Amino acid sequence: SENFYNLPISFFTVFRCIVAGECTNSDGKPIFLLVTSRHGWVYAILYCIAVLFMTFGLFNVIVAIYVENTLAAAKFNDATQKRQRLMDQQM
């Protein structure tokens, strides 16, 4: 297939499928069905596993960034509250 002609085009095809959600060739046929009919179910299963791991990995990074920012904001808020209580006690 023209989507897997060489390694860079293969990487771009997988990237396009995972990030953009466009898993079709230039004729509009789904890549999953083309891989299954041409190479068998083993490669189709490997393709599904790769897409699954990439999707979970991407969401894991996004959630980790969100949690890290939330914890940093909570720590800053806690330090600000402690400082405010100390200033109130000194007055």
Side-chain angles (χ1 to χ4, degrees):
S1 174
E2 72 271 1
N3 291 329
F4 298 100
Y5 179 71
N6 58 20
L7 191 61
I9 292 175
S10 298
F11 280 142
F12 180 68
T13 301
V14 173
F15 172 78
R16 191 182 71 198
C17 184
I18 292 170
V19 174
E22 184 184 338
C23 294
T24 59
N25 66 359
S26 59
D27 296 333
K29 295 178 183 175
I31 292 175
F32 178 76
L33 295 177
L34 294 173
V35 169
T36 304
S37 66
R38 185 170 179 141
H39 300 289
W41 282 101
V42 175
Y43 288 105
I45 291 171
L46 289 175
Y47 179 78
C48 287
I49 289 171
V51 169
L52 183 72
F53 278 125
M54 292 299 291
T55 302
F56 280 120
L58 181 63
F59 284 129
N60 189 23
V61 170
I62 291 170
V63 169
I65 291 171
Y66 177 75
V67 168
E68 183 179 354
N69 288 337
T70 303
L71 289 176
K75 187 175 182 180
F76 178 76
N77 190 24
D78 190 37
T80 304
Q81 287 178 350
K82 284 182 183 178
R83 187 178 319 115
Q84 187 65 34
R85 280 186 291 208
L86 287 173
M87 290 178 67
D88 288 344
Q89 288 176 355
Q90 290 176 355
M91 291 185 158

